[in-house]
């Protein structure tokens, strides 16, 4: 059999979603761009950086507590996209970014992203490697390091997008106490309520991946978002059919396990 | 941007991603499975090298602060001292030696637990600040928070026994439904992110920074 046993239904879903994303990217490239709502949290990034400029205080940009190795890579990449965008705004508006890192494999990548942000804005001489401090791969040590940085630097803005672990609420509350405006976003279920509740602006779940699409070119944005929405419709239809069939005694999961 | 900095990483990412997808879904020959496994092992090797690079970064960062005689130089010196002692103890006695384990169980673990202990106070502080009945949504949040608090506190169930069933229903039905919905959305977002990486449209981690014009 061409497809591995037990993965047929997942493969079909994956192909449907991929085809829909590619189809809508192609449609968007032809000019048929559907209307989509703006991400308030992403539009607030400029406001947060601008406020930090007015206060004369630095902005802390965190790509989360994950790394680019392991199973948190997706949310970390999404976080790095937002950090890259915010770093370029910081370079443009003349405010110092601080990008504390937990993942050691991320150090050269994050350093290169921030450095390139300054180079693109023609301010390469203003970049310093102190802007991208590697704290620790241990979660409590990272939390202690980031709290100390917040208090010492008296940050004016805090943007956290990526994987959120245990000390997330500690970090956000400290940012609140130093008077920073906070933008938070994570896909980790356990800490999502803390991030959403403690932030002035929040990315909920999949919005952190959509943020990366928004930062890119518009046809890709439209294509990816419409494709994701089609995937959600497929899931919704399957859930509804499954719920109805379960009530009449038919177990749809036996089909989906094939 | 120089070609090798942008295109080669994208090509590598695309080829590796497609290999993993084909190996997971399709009934491929054993050689492809072995290749995919070796690629995953390579990622582990890169992680080990990155760990060494992380330690070197810590030495460089704190060393510069000491050389420049920054106001926090003493904390940097302490950090480097602990790092050096830990490395030496681990190299000389092994990571399963008594001295290394002593450092781990009697210094690192208590220090980590101390940071975790702060969490309770920050949760209380955040709850006091956030659980306010400002509008309909925050009132609903406050109501459900009170129900769950009553269920978790020993006296809550004694005072109002039905709170156990109500709280269990909230967690099993409302909370689980919401969590699963978010999980479905997150999974779709990850798929879309992967497709953007394959197409070279996810630029934030490879090419020139951001999308600011």
């Amino acid at each position: 059999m061409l497809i591995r046993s037990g993965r047929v239904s997942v493969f079909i879903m994956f192909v449907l979603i991929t085809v829909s994303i590619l189809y809508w990217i192609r449609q968007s490239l032809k000019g048929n761009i559907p209307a989509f709502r703006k991400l308030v949290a992403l539009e607030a990034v400029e406001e947060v950086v601008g406020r930090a400029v007015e206060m004369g205080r630095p902005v802390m940009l965190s790509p989360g507590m994950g790394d680019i190795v392991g199973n948190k890579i997706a949310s970390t990449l999404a976080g790095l996209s937002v950090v890259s965008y915010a770093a370029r705004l910081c370079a443009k508006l003349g405010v110092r970014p601080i990008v504390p890192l937990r993942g050691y494999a991320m150090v050269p990548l994050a350093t290169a992203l921030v450095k390139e942000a300054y180079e693109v804005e023609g301010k390469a001489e203003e970049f310093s490697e102190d802007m991208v401090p590697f704290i620790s791969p241990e979660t409590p040590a990272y939390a202690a390091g980031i709290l100390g940085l917040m208090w010492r630097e008296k940050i004016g803005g805090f943007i956290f997008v990526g994987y959120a672990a245990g000390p997330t609420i500690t970090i956000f509350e400290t940012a609140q106490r130093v008077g920073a405006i906070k933008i938070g976003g994570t896909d980790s279920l356990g800490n999502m309520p803390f991030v959403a509740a403690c932030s002035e602006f929040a990315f909920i779940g999949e919005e952190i991946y959509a943020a990366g699409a928004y930062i890119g070119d518009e046809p890709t944005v439209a294509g990816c978002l419409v494709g994701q929405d089609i995937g959600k419709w497929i899931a919704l239809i399957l859930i509804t059919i499954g719920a109805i069939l379960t009530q009449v005694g038919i177990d749809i999961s036996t089909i989906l396990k094939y | 941007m120089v070609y090798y900095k942008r295109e080669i990483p994208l090509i590598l990412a695309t080829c590796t991603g497609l290999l993993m997808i084909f190996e997971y879904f399709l009934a491929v020959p054993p050689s492809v499975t072995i290749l995919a496994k070796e690629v995953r092992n390579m990622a582990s090797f890169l992680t080990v090298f990155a760990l060494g690079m992380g330690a070197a970064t810590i030495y460089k960062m704190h060393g510069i602060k000491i050389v420049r005689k920054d106001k926090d130089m003493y904390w940097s010196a302490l950090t480097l001292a602990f790092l050096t002692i830990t490395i030496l103890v681990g190299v000389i006695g092994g990571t399963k030696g008594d001295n290394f384990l002593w450092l781990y169980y009697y210094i690192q673990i208590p220090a980590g637990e101390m940071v975790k202990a702060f969490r309770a106070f920050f949760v209380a502080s955040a709850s006091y600040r956030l659980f306010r009945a400002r509008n309909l949504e925050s009132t609903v949040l406050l109501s459900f928070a009170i129900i769950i608090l009553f269920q978790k506190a020993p006296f809550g169930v004694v005072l109002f026994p039905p709170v156990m069933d109500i709280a269990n229903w909230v967690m099993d039905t409302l909370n689980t439904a919401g969590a699963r919905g978010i999980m479905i959305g997150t999974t779709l977002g990850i798929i879309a992110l992967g497709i953007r990486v394959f197409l070279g449209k996810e630029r934030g981690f490879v090419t020139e920074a951001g999308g600011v014009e």
Side-chain angles (χ1 to χ4, degrees):
Chain A
M1 192 176 170
L2 184 62
I3 301 169
R4 287 182 191 262
S5 174
R7 296 174 187 175
V8 175
S9 56
V10 177
F11 179 72
I12 292 170
M13 275 289 289
F14 176 74
V15 168
L16 283 173
I17 294 165
T18 305
V19 166
S20 69
I21 290 173
L22 292 173
Y23 172 77
W24 278 103
I25 288 177
R26 192 180 162 87
Q27 286 294 311
S28 301
L29 284 169
K30 290 180 185 175
N32 182 18
I33 300 176
F36 47 88
R37 67 178 175 90
K38 298 292 183 187
L39 277 180
V40 175
L42 190 64
E43 296 193 346
V45 170
E46 194 161 355
E47 180 188 331
V48 167
V49 175
R51 186 172 173 231
V53 172
E54 289 168 13
M55 293 195 290
R57 286 151 67 167
V59 177
M60 186 171 279
L61 312 172
S62 175
M65 299 184 203
D67 202 345
I68 55 169
V69 291
N71 56 359
K72 304 292 181 274
I73 184 172
S75 53
T76 304
L77 286 180
L80 282 172
S81 294
V82 177
V83 163
S84 171
Y85 170 66
R88 192 164 167 189
L89 277 172
C90 290
K92 186 178 177 184
L93 298 176
V95 67
R96 183 167 60 98
I98 303 170
V99 186
L101 301 177
R102 179 177 174 233
Y104 39 81
M106 264 205 295
V107 173
L109 179 57
T111 307
L113 281 177
V114 178
K115 188 176 178 185
E116 277 174 8
Y118 274 80
E119 286 171 355
V120 166
E121 290 299 325
K123 297 180 181 177
E125 69 284 354
E126 292 183 23
F127 169 75
S128 164
E129 288 194 6
D130 287 348
M131 291 176 180
V132 193
F134 168 63
I135 309 292
S136 171
E138 294 293 319
T139 308
Y142 174 79
I146 208 171
L147 298 189
L149 265 178
M150 284 182 177
W151 277 110
R152 286 194 299 275
E153 301 287 346
K154 292 286 186 282
I155 57 170
F158 177 54
I159 299 172
F160 178 103
V161 178
Y163 172 65
T168 303
I169 191 163
T170 310
I171 291 168
F172 273 81
E173 270 301 289
T174 305
Q176 168 71 18
R177 285 169 190 228
V178 301
I181 299 185
K182 302 170 292 301
I183 298 176
T186 184
D187 64 343
S188 56
L189 279 175
N191 288 285
M192 198 180 300
F194 299 135
V195 171
C198 296
S199 309
E200 277 81 2
F201 306 95
F203 298 98
I204 309 283
E206 62 177 318
E207 289 180 350
I208 67 171
Y209 303 108
Y214 274 83
I215 292 166
D217 59 277
E218 202 168 292
T220 315
V221 173
C224 287
L225 295 178
V226 175
Q228 280 176 238
D229 280 353
I230 289 173
K232 280 182 228 168
W233 276 107
I234 294 172
L236 186 62
I237 290 167
L238 282 174
I239 289 168
T240 307
I241 292 172
I244 294 169
L245 290 178
T246 304
Q247 297 305 312
V248 298
I250 300 170
D251 187 7
I252 194 175
S253 64
T254 51
I255 302 170
L256 294 176
K257 277 180 192 168
Y258 182 64
Chain B
M1 163 136 325
V2 182
Y3 178 85
Y4 74 89
K5 275 192 177 180
R6 186 178 66 185
E7 305 301 335
I8 292 180
L10 286 173
I11 292 169
L12 279 172
T14 303
C15 292
T16 311
L18 288 173
L19 171 66
M20 296 300 155
I21 289 171
F22 290 148
E23 192 270 335
Y24 181 80
F25 284 118
L26 304 180
V28 294
S31 55
V32 177
T33 305
I34 292 169
L35 176 63
K37 187 181 168 191
E38 289 304 318
V39 169
R40 285 191 284 268
N41 288 338
M42 273 187 241
S44 301
F45 289 141
L46 290 174
T47 307
V48 171
F49 279 109
L51 180 60
M53 196 170 54
T57 304
I58 290 179
Y59 274 108
K60 181 182 172 187
M61 191 173 77
H62 291 285
I64 288 172
K65 286 186 180 177
I66 294 170
V67 166
R68 282 198 308 222
K69 292 187 169 54
D70 286 353
K71 60 179 168 58
D72 295 327
M73 61 176 273
Y74 298 108
W75 295 113
S76 291
L78 195 63
T79 301
L80 292 185
F82 271 115
L83 178 60
T84 308
I85 290 168
T86 307
I87 291 173
L88 287 174
V89 167
V91 168
I92 294 170
T95 56
K96 294 199 179 358
D98 290 340
N99 293 329
F100 192 85
L101 290 175
W102 187 93
L103 284 174
Y104 180 72
Y105 285 118
Y106 293 104
I107 294 183
Q108 184 168 338
I109 296 277
E113 296 303 312
M114 179 189 70
V115 174
K116 288 179 191 172
F118 290 150
R119 206 179 302 173
F121 301 101
F122 282 103
V123 170
S125 161
S127 302
Y128 176 77
R129 186 170 58 85
L130 296 169
F131 289 155
R132 304 287 175 98
R134 278 184 287 256
N135 49 36
L136 177 63
E137 290 87 1
S138 59
T139 306
V140 170
L141 175 67
L142 176 62
S143 309
F144 282 119
I146 291 171
I147 291 170
I148 302 298
L149 269 171
F150 260 77
Q151 188 220 14
K152 297 298 179 191
F155 69 90
V157 181
V158 171
L159 285 176
F160 185 58
V163 80
M164 180 64 82
D165 292 332
I166 298 170
N168 284 337
W169 179 84
V170 168
M171 294 300 288
D172 292 342
T173 308
L174 296 178
N175 188 56
T176 303
R180 286 181 182 166
I182 290 175
M183 277 165 58
I184 290 171
T186 301
T187 307
L188 293 168
I190 293 173
I191 294 173
L193 173 72
I195 292 169
R196 289 202 301 274
V197 170
F198 291 160
L199 295 176
K201 299 293 184 183
E202 186 64 31
R203 302 288 179 115
F205 67 98
V206 176
T207 65
E208 60 269 13
V212 177
E213 296 300 328

